[in-house]
Amino acid sequence: MAHMTVAARETVVQRAMKVLTDNFVFEKSDDQDHGALTTGYTVKCHLEGGTIDFRADNTVEIKELDLKWDTLEVRLGLDIPAVCVGGGCLGPFCLPRTCIFDGDPDVSIAPDFAALVAQEVSIIGRVIPRYFDVDNPPALNALCQLVRNQLVANGTIEPFDRDEWQLFLDPETIDLDLFDFPDIIGDLIEDSLTELVEDLIPGGVVRDLILAIIGGVGDVIRAVLDIGDDFDEWLSDIFNISFGLGDFILTALADFLGHCIPVFRLPDPFEIMPATPQGLIPVAVPIRNVVARVDATELVVQADIGA
Amino acid sequence: MRFQKKPILLNRAIFIRRPLQATALTTLTTLIHRFPAEGTYEVFIRREGSLIHRAPVQVADGGVFQINIDMAGAFDSTYALAPTGALGFFAGSGEAAYTVTIDRITGKERATVLDSAAGIPAGDLFAVTLVRPGRYRVTDPANKIDGIIHVDMPVVEKREPREARAARTAPRARFRTDLPTAVTIGRGEMKPKEVKILAGQTVVFECAVASSLRVEPLDDAPKAHSADAAPRGKLRRTFGKAGSGDTTKG
């Protein structure tokens, strides 16, 4: 039987979640070159809201956590393919092609869709204890270390300067809505790219001929981007798959909750009697065998006392 | 939204309105010279009269069937052709005129087998790619050739609405420039005498006799479609020309 039992209500985890929503910021930028197409993004998001639910199966659920985008800029650049006249073969002889423009004309746009995209996160995890040895601390990733340092510096959390038991909400599942760009965004991008490409082409015979050869700017853009019918679906796919932003966010959240900021900390040794003005020294006992469990109403932490 | 664009550098030589002829090879013309006999040859290329390239040509087994040489580009130092192979001469860009001479070398003897400044030898091909719509006249006084090429502007596809795109199961048919039209030049005849092509396509003259072809635009070329179109962002309605008004009372 455990020597010590501590019970805590949802407010303990709520405090941890407030630390999460106040301090979790995901920021990333990348560019990818796919030959005729370049894609890139600069994104920054934070979390808002969220409710906590202790569940009877020993898990904690955080739901209705809104992922709010401060910046959701996507960069698309197109190299316009060569447009040539002539060519073809007559019997065994083949004719050269002559290209209407040389150089490497290209266009790019960088719209920011932060205000138009909303996503929600839900997390189910277990509360697990980990021992923190101040002389041999676990390796943390750079982002986590940065967040910890900031939170300690601004007094949000106690410094990590002693041996202690730390309880983390270790995620078992995190669900994040897939990027789903509405039709209007697809149309906006296609219209912008079309207008830019058309502006590059001189008027008169040149324009008519180029447009006849390439079969319309929209078709060229589709061919270069290798997309089917819907721009918005393609855009959603590159965010969900090519960029893999969702994975980055889920990993960052899992690290933040599971390894970075504990929901509860128990010093080891644990002081059971403080020092007195009369000169008695404090009494502290070592804590061992910490176990945490959750039921529908509370978080229960049990531990043994002794060496 | 931020935009960036790197402008198009137009190959303006394509759109210059001028006669095209084998005696002065320019952008949009191609001369294909056949090598019916194996042996050693030497090719000379001149730009506006100045020699810019000279290289040996070996015609023997193991060579390739055809090499196209861009006279406005970089040159190879030697060419190896298969028997019955051919060299194609064209200018990919620029406004200069070129001439080509090819000598056959047998021992210490040289014999000129091609002098493009003088004309096209029998058996060679001369190709013109016509870009501006309108009518072109084909002439060769020595062979009493007088023909016509009609060049129409291909239809510019309208942008498809989303629903139409979604309903389509196959890609839209595209206008193709790589479908050349063959014309035979014989003594006193051009077959067919009239040719219709679309802008950007090529007419290839197969010269059964030595000839000196010239293809020149006629002045009745129609205006380009877009010339009458409203500028971007403007609404334009075109009315018939005003008459001279009433000339008699009552």
Side-chain angles (χ1 to χ4, degrees):
Chain A
M1 185 178 155
H3 298 147
M4 185 173 87
T5 300
V6 177
R9 294 206 169 271
E10 287 166 352
T11 47
V12 172
V13 182
Q14 266 163 2
R15 265 205 310 272
M17 196 174 72
K18 186 162 183 345
V19 172
L20 172 74
T21 52
D22 286 351
N23 298 285
F24 179 85
V25 174
F26 178 80
E27 211 167 352
K28 193 164 170 59
S29 183
D30 192 17
D31 286 286
Q32 298 174 1
D33 192 341
H34 310 284
L37 164 72
T38 54
T39 54
Y41 59 85
T42 297
V43 297
K44 183 179 179 184
C45 65
H46 68 275
L47 296 168
E48 286 182 14
T51 58
I52 300 226
D53 188 16
F54 283 174
R55 306 192 329 165
D57 63 354
N58 194 24
T59 59
V60 177
E61 181 176 18
I62 301 175
K63 52 192 176 186
E64 295 163 358
L65 195 55
D66 295 321
L67 188 75
K68 297 279 189 184
W69 291 100
D70 305 301
T71 304
L72 186 58
E73 180 185 276
V74 57
R75 291 183 289 280
L76 294 176
L78 298 180
D79 283 349
I80 300 167
V83 178
C84 304
V85 294
C89 295
L90 196 68
F93 301 106
C94 290
L95 300 162
R97 298 192 317 155
T98 305
C99 294
I100 294 177
F101 49 79
D102 33 50
D104 188 16
D106 52 36
V107 294
S108 70
I109 57 170
D112 188 340
F113 300 125
L116 299 169
V117 175
Q119 284 162 286
E120 204 172 273
V121 183
S122 60
I123 302 162
I124 296 175
R126 282 177 199 277
V127 178
I128 60 161
R130 288 205 184 96
Y131 193 75
F132 178 80
D133 181 349
V134 74
D135 295 325
N136 188 22
L140 295 175
N141 66 42
L143 181 64
C144 181
Q145 192 62 61
L146 181 73
V147 172
R148 268 196 185 182
N149 292 345
Q150 283 177 346
L151 295 179
V152 169
N154 67 22
T156 305
I157 58 176
E158 296 284 321
F160 292 83
D161 57 359
R162 62 187 180 188
D163 290 347
E164 62 185 16
W165 286 93
Q166 298 175 341
L167 301 187
F168 288 94
L169 180 60
D170 196 35
E172 288 185 344
T173 59
I174 305 180
D175 290 332
L176 169 68
D177 292 341
L178 288 170
F179 285 89
D180 184 16
F181 291 93
D183 293 354
I184 187 174
I185 290 181
D187 292 344
L188 178 71
I189 287 188
E190 185 172 357
D191 289 350
S192 302
L193 283 174
T194 301
E195 199 168 309
L196 272 180
V197 173
E198 285 184 348
D199 278 353
L200 280 177
I201 303 171
V205 176
V206 181
R207 168 173 298 211
D208 284 351
L209 184 61
I210 291 175
L211 292 181
I213 292 171
I214 63 181
V217 175
D219 285 359
V220 168
I221 293 170
R222 283 195 164 69
V224 173
L225 299 183
D226 191 22
I227 59 175
D229 295 325
D230 291 324
F231 229 96
D232 36 279
E233 276 182 23
W234 173 83
L235 192 64
S236 301
D237 281 349
I238 65 163
F239 266 89
N240 289 319
I241 298 165
S242 303
F243 292 163
L245 269 178
D247 282 339
F248 285 123
I249 293 169
L250 295 183
T251 304
L253 266 173
D255 274 352
F256 191 97
L257 290 168
H259 295 93
C260 197
I261 307 298
V263 296
F264 190 76
R265 298 163 70 182
L266 196 61
D268 178 41
F270 183 70
E271 190 177 278
I272 55 172
M273 292 176 67
T276 66
Q278 292 79 24
L280 292 175
I281 59 169
V283 177
V285 294
I287 305 293
R288 296 290 178 267
N289 306 326
V290 174
V291 176
R293 63 181 165 78
V294 168
D295 61 28
T297 55
E298 59 190 10
L299 163 66
V300 178
V301 182
Q302 292 180 317
D304 292 337
I305 294 172
Chain B
M1 192 180 312
R2 293 187 287 116
F3 301 99
Q4 275 186 333
K5 54 187 175 185
K6 187 168 134 195
I8 279 176
L9 205 59
L10 204 63
N11 188 355
R12 293 200 176 276
I14 288 181
F15 297 97
I16 294 173
R17 190 176 159 82
R18 60 180 169 186
L20 302 174
Q21 51 200 342
T23 52
L25 296 166
T26 52
T27 301
L28 300 180
T29 62
T30 304
L31 176 62
I32 296 178
H33 177 71
R34 300 183 189 194
F35 290 81
E38 292 186 24
T40 303
Y41 298 80
E42 192 168 27
V43 61
F44 301 85
I45 295 174
R46 292 179 174 81
R47 180 171 55 213
E48 308 293 356
S50 301
L51 184 67
I52 57 166
H53 181 54
R54 174 180 181 172
V57 180
Q58 273 309 324
V59 180
D61 288 335
V64 297
F65 180 73
Q66 184 182 355
I67 299 171
N68 285 337
I69 300 173
D70 182 357
M71 297 182 290
F75 295 108
D76 292 338
S77 57
T78 181
Y79 303 97
L81 286 176
T84 73
L87 283 180
F89 300 93
F90 73 103
S93 59
E95 296 173 25
Y98 299 82
T99 56
V100 180
T101 309
I102 298 175
D103 289 348
R104 183 170 190 195
I105 303 168
T106 313
K108 291 184 178 176
E109 300 292 313
R110 277 180 177 267
T112 300
V113 294
L114 167 69
D115 178 5
S116 72
I120 310 160
D124 281 4
L125 289 83
F126 177 59
V128 293
T129 302
L130 300 173
V131 169
R132 300 186 78 99
R135 289 199 314 152
Y136 292 77
R137 188 176 181 198
V138 182
T139 56
D140 178 3
N143 289 313
K144 297 180 181 161
I145 301 295
D146 193 353
I148 291 290
I149 302 173
H150 299 268
V151 180
D152 291 328
M153 182 56 83
V155 176
V156 179
E157 296 285 348
K158 293 269 187 296
R159 186 174 166 189
E160 272 187 312
R162 179 187 288 263
E163 299 74 30
R165 272 202 319 269
R168 191 162 36 73
T169 52
R172 283 204 289 188
R174 285 273 172 81
F175 160 61
R176 292 176 58 180
T177 64
D178 59 346
L179 299 171
T181 301
V183 171
T184 305
I185 299 294
R187 190 161 306 282
E189 64 173 3
M190 165 176 154
K191 277 188 181 174
K193 194 171 168 49
E194 281 197 35
V195 179
K196 281 191 175 183
I197 61 167
L198 294 173
Q201 292 180 333
T202 303
V203 177
V204 181
F205 299 96
E206 296 178 297
C207 300
V209 293
S211 56
S212 185
L213 288 168
R214 178 182 169 92
V215 179
E216 58 189 324
L218 296 174
D219 289 335
D220 56 357
K223 284 185 177 176
H225 294 185
S226 294
D228 292 322
R232 183 175 291 278
K234 305 278 188 191
L235 178 65
R236 174 179 289 174
R237 182 176 297 166
T238 306
F239 299 94
K241 285 187 179 174
S244 55
D246 291 336
T247 53
T248 56
K249 286 185 181 177

